[in-house]
Amino acid sequence: FPSGHTLCTTALATALVLCVARVAPSSRYAALGLGAVWVALVALSRMVLGAHWPTDVLAAAILGVFIPVAFNTLLDLHPPRWLTR
């Protein structure tokens, strides 16, 4: 508990979607859709294989979204000095 595969996949997908939203805002919905499908397939595979319960996968997905969003918010509120120059 939680599913490591789902956690890592969700965190990476969320970070990539956040990056795409900053670099190419017009593509953010496509990136969000691809990321959601990728995460759903990984999460579903963990449950189908019997490696994790749905609660394990759900907790991993929540953590996987929270961590990159928290870092993104912190960087927006307090940008590092090298970013503000």
Side-chain angles (χ1 to χ4, degrees):
F1 180 82
S3 168
H5 287 90
T6 306
L7 176 69
C8 291
T9 302
T10 307
L12 179 61
T14 303
L16 289 173
V17 168
L18 290 170
C19 289
V20 168
R22 284 185 186 262
V23 175
S26 62
S27 300
R28 67 179 173 226
Y29 294 117
L32 182 61
L34 286 172
V37 168
W38 181 27
V39 169
L41 289 174
V42 169
L44 186 62
S45 75
R46 304 314 299 157
M47 291 186 290
V48 167
L49 291 172
H52 291 284
W53 292 95
T55 53
D56 299 347
V57 172
L58 181 63
I62 291 169
L63 278 173
V65 169
F66 175 76
I67 293 168
V69 169
F71 274 99
N72 186 55
T73 304
L74 286 174
L75 286 173
D76 282 343
L77 294 175
H78 303 288
R81 289 184 183 167
W82 59 271
L83 271 178
T84 58
R85 290 184 184 170

